[in-house]
Amino acid sequence: MMNLPESDSEDELPPGWEERVTGDGSVYYANHLTKNTQWTHPRTGKKKVVLGDLPYGWERCIDKSTGKVLYIDHENHRTTYTDPRLAFAVEEKEHINDFRQRFDASSTALHVLHGRDLTNTTALITGANTGIGFETARSLLKHGCKVIFGCRNVRAAEEAIEKIRQEKSTAAENCEALHLDLTSLKSVVTFANVVKVKYKVLNAVILNAGVFGLPYSKTEDGYETTFQVRKFDTGHNLSQYFIT
């Protein structure tokens, strides 16, 4: 067994090593120090494979001048020689109860949804007009999901939907903006009733809305504003209003 530098992660490659993938999806490892390659991970001794299609917006092509395989990310307008599926490579006999973390702070919503077909599903996202909520909605739409934007500012929600609509690759007709003001329990109940009438099934309720750094104030229901918005979007759980 070779003597390798210590690491906090058994899956981290030692210095001088590079992870690559063949055309049929088999992962191999190149040691630039010894100029050798091998099929097994230098730390774990296990083999890996990449499965499924390329992530949304990616294209595989051949560089005519060099004959090398290129991967083009049309979403972010960049090109790389590294197969983007390597980030999601799995061990050939991956155990069902292997709960090692697959995503981190650098992962995007498109990465998390890679390979999923969400056609004929419906998701409700609170605060979907901006930030994390907007990127979540945008990514779900790209994978075929219908998305309900539950927002306090309906005009801002409609502008966000229009922004998505301008991306011709996204089915923005699967969006709908509905008014939801979490500082008003009356608004929460009204919103829930409208959704239940218009949609037979909700496959996901993504509780994203929130406020931060406000001066002390109370809602019309007598609760401190930050507490009510977060309580009824997470702790109290808005989804309870959709249980019939």
Side-chain angles (χ1 to χ4, degrees), residues 155-208:
R155 180 177 179 181
E158 291 174 343
E159 289 175 352
I161 291 173
E162 179 58 31
K163 182 178 179 180
I164 293 174
R165 185 173 288 113
Q166 292 174 6
E167 299 179 19
K168 296 180 181 179
S169 59
T170 304
E173 65 273 9
N174 283 340
C175 304
E176 181 176 13
L178 295 177
H179 180 260
L180 170 63
D181 184 354
L182 290 165
T183 65
S184 167
L185 300 187
K186 180 180 178 181
S187 173
V188 172
V189 174
T190 299
F191 170 78
N193 289 334
V194 170
V195 171
K196 285 195 288 187
V197 169
K198 301 187 73 171
Y199 298 91
K200 293 182 179 180
V201 175
L202 279 182
N203 302 98
V205 178
I206 300 173
L207 306 171
N208 166 77

Side-chain angles (χ1 to χ4, degrees), residues 6-220:
E6 293 186 1
S7 169
D8 291 335
S9 171
E10 68 169 9
D11 204 42
E12 181 181 346
L13 289 174
W17 286 80
E18 181 185 357
E19 194 173 41
R20 298 176 178 175
V21 62
T22 64
D24 64 359
S26 298
V27 177
Y28 68 99
Y29 302 90
N31 185 339
H32 294 292
L33 300 179
T34 64
K35 309 299 181 183
N36 294 322
T37 61
Q38 62 188 56
W39 293 110
T40 55
H41 191 287
R43 288 192 188 278
T44 66
K46 297 177 180 179
K47 294 182 179 181
K48 286 185 176 183
V49 294
V50 294
L51 305 172
D53 298 327
L54 290 171
Y56 182 88
W58 284 82
E59 178 187 2
R60 182 180 183 273
C61 62
I62 305 295
D63 186 336
K64 294 181 179 179
S65 62
T66 63
K68 293 184 178 180
V69 176
L70 289 174
Y71 298 91
I72 303 174
D73 180 1
H74 293 290
E75 287 285 302
N76 299 301
H77 308 290
R78 63 190 180 94
T79 302
T80 177
Y81 287 109
T82 303
D83 189 326
R85 295 174 299 170
L86 269 175
F88 312 101
V90 297
E91 293 172 4
E92 283 189 333
K93 295 182 179 179
E94 188 174 40
H95 298 291
I96 295 176
N97 295 323
D98 186 352
F99 296 114
R100 286 179 297 175
Q101 179 174 314
R102 293 185 63 192
F103 307 108
D104 56 27
S106 66
S107 302
T108 67
L110 286 174
H111 288 159
V112 175
L113 292 173
H114 168 57
R116 297 185 180 274
D117 181 3
L118 301 179
T119 305
N120 298 322
T121 62
T122 303
L124 161 64
I125 306 178
T126 62
N129 61 293
T130 188
I132 294 174
F134 174 77
E135 289 301 325
T136 301
R138 175 175 169 269
S139 300
L140 287 171
L141 286 161
K142 287 181 178 292
H143 288 77
C145 185
K146 184 176 182 65
V147 179
I148 305 166
F149 284 54
C151 301
R152 179 180 56 191
N153 187 334
V154 175
R155 180 177 179 181
E158 291 174 343
E159 289 175 352
I161 291 173
E162 179 58 31
K163 182 178 179 180
I164 293 174
R165 185 173 288 113
Q166 292 174 6
E167 299 179 19
K168 296 180 181 179
S169 59
T170 304
E173 65 273 9
N174 283 340
C175 304
E176 181 176 13
L178 295 177
H179 180 260
L180 170 63
D181 184 354
L182 290 165
T183 65
S184 167
L185 300 187
K186 180 180 178 181
S187 173
V188 172
V189 174
T190 299
F191 170 78
N193 289 334
V194 170
V195 171
K196 285 195 288 187
V197 169
K198 301 187 73 171
Y199 298 91
K200 293 182 179 180
V201 175
L202 279 182
N203 302 98
V205 178
I206 300 173
L207 306 171
N208 166 77
V211 291
F212 178 76
L214 299 178
Y216 180 81
S217 61
K218 287 187 176 182
T219 67
E220 62 186 47

